[in-house]
Amino acid sequence: MKVDQIAGALGADVTEIDISAPLTDTQLNAIKVALWQHGVLAFRNQIMSPAQQLSFVKQFGEIHYHPHVKGLPEQPEVMEILKREEDLHNFGSGWHTDQMFTPKPANYTCLYAKELPDTGGDTLFACMRNGFRTLSPAMQKLAQTLETENRSFAAQLSGRNQTSAGYFGTGMRTKEATADETLIKHPVVRKHPETGDPVLYVGLHSIRLAGFTEDESKPLLDFWKTHLVQPENTARLRWQPETLAIWDNRLVLHNAINDYPGKRRRMHRITVAGAATQRWTA
Ligand code: SIN
């Protein structure tokens, strides 16, 4: 297996491995180790039916079902991300890590490109491990003592009197959420369960710090969110038809760029279930 970095901080293209066949233990381990190092891996020119994508992803763990989006009728584990020509907003815009609004956020997400606009529709990634490492020692110490409170984007929309179906369009098979959805706490500095590394675990679902008001939390949350996504801490994945990518939600944030008005983009997504988050302390 050949791994070529696509940017300085994170991201890699992987070649010289057949992922359409069941992986050997050695191959699976090599992919996981590359994921824990690079955060997001892209495999090009993969011909994958929903069932084949599912077989690939199942090798990484139990499948997670999105609480606010229904799966495909013929393959419920696969969620279709669709922006149609007439839709204004895209699903997955804004820097986030998947299912941070649940007590056990998804470990991995696998996305497969079905239909792409002729230009645009890339996905950005940012490294939360670098995000923590590049804070000052004093800020690292403070961050370790704090927790975020997190709410789904669907519930945030509901709080603004908007429905998911109205916002994303009816092409996405969304389920509505209520504005009073329980806030879920996570440590600001999360321990990566595989490498033991600290990551600065903050994204768009983080609406305040536990014990603080939203106004009090805002300066720190805004600082961390900006710090995490400085250009030198990011990579840009340029999708091609039949690109399959997999990323580690415990290590990277992502942001689907909405720069293709009037064009159609369709992706198949499968997520792998995760475990309760653990605080990292020095
Ligand atoms: C997401 O899973 O947040 C969507 C990413 C994308 O469509 O590029």
Side-chain angles (χ1 to χ4, degrees):
M1 177 173 117
K2 189 160 172 287
V3 178
D4 294 303
Q5 276 185 240
I6 60 171
L10 77 163
D13 269 318
V14 180
T15 50
E16 297 179 18
I17 182 168
D18 178 9
I19 61 164
S20 67
L23 300 169
T24 63
D25 289 349
T26 310
Q27 287 174 320
L28 181 60
N29 196 49
I31 294 178
K32 285 185 180 170
V33 169
L35 265 175
W36 305 334
Q37 185 182 350
H38 301 289
V40 53
L41 305 178
F43 302 83
R44 307 290 179 178
N45 306 314
Q46 302 296 321
I47 313 280
M48 289 243 173
S49 66
Q52 286 168 316
Q53 187 186 357
L54 180 60
S55 302
F56 170 71
V57 177
K58 272 185 170 168
Q59 299 173 101
F60 293 82
E62 295 282 309
I63 300 306
H64 169 93
Y65 294 81
H66 198 290
H68 304 134
V69 185
K70 293 178 214 145
L72 291 175
E74 68 279 16
Q75 194 75 74
E77 299 88 348
V78 178
M79 177 182 129
E80 186 159 90
I81 297 178
L82 172 63
K83 181 170 183 255
R84 302 164 305 179
E85 291 81 345
E86 65 270 36
D87 296 329
L88 289 181
H89 302 285
N90 65 331
F91 184 90
S93 177
W95 288 101
H96 66 286
T97 174
D98 287 333
Q99 271 75 63
M100 195 177 173
F101 54 89
T102 65
K104 295 180 179 177
N107 278 354
Y108 302 107
T109 300
C110 174
L111 199 61
Y112 179 60
K114 298 287 293 177
E115 285 179 68
L116 296 171
D118 42 11
T119 50
D122 297 344
T123 307
L124 297 172
F125 291 86
C127 180
M128 297 188 284
R129 178 170 53 207
N130 277 353
F132 178 76
R133 192 179 50 76
T134 51
L135 292 173
S136 68
M139 182 57 102
Q140 288 184 346
K141 208 164 168 188
L142 171 67
Q144 283 166 55
T145 65
L146 299 171
E147 286 180 315
T148 52
E149 291 188 340
N150 299 276
R151 176 165 283 157
S152 70
F153 188 63
Q156 293 181 34
L157 281 177
S158 177
R160 305 199 304 247
N161 292 321
Q162 284 178 290
T163 61
S164 294
Y167 188 82
F168 292 118
T170 50
M172 288 288 305
R173 296 164 46 80
T174 49
K175 301 184 217 170
E176 297 307 328
T178 57
D180 62 352
E181 195 181 72
T182 311
L183 286 166
I184 300 297
K185 289 193 178 96
H186 292 297
V188 170
V189 185
R190 180 178 180 186
K191 181 177 171 183
H192 189 285
E194 306 293 349
T195 61
D197 290 336
V199 307
L200 182 61
Y201 192 59
V202 175
L204 73 71
H205 300 124
S206 312
I207 60 164
R208 66 175 182 229
L209 294 169
F212 294 77
T213 65
E214 284 188 30
D215 283 348
E216 288 168 340
S217 312
K218 196 171 174 339
L220 265 182
L221 286 177
D222 283 352
F223 170 74
W224 291 327
K225 288 178 187 178
T226 307
H227 173 77
L228 277 162
V229 303
Q230 293 171 84
E232 56 273 24
N233 194 36
T234 66
R236 182 179 189 122
L237 176 56
R238 305 202 92 124
W239 297 96
Q240 294 159 351
E242 294 156 359
T243 297
L244 178 139
I246 182 163
W247 62 83
D248 184 345
N249 284 300
R250 305 158 302 181
L251 184 56
V252 299
L253 294 167
H254 59 281
N255 183 352
I257 306 175
N258 188 12
D259 61 350
Y260 50 100
K263 307 267 174 62
R264 184 178 166 94
R265 180 178 183 271
R266 187 164 68 93
M267 315 291 277
H268 278 176
R269 179 176 122 159
I270 306 179
T271 43
V272 175
T277 54
Q278 276 182 283
R279 181 193 294 268
W280 181 90
T281 43

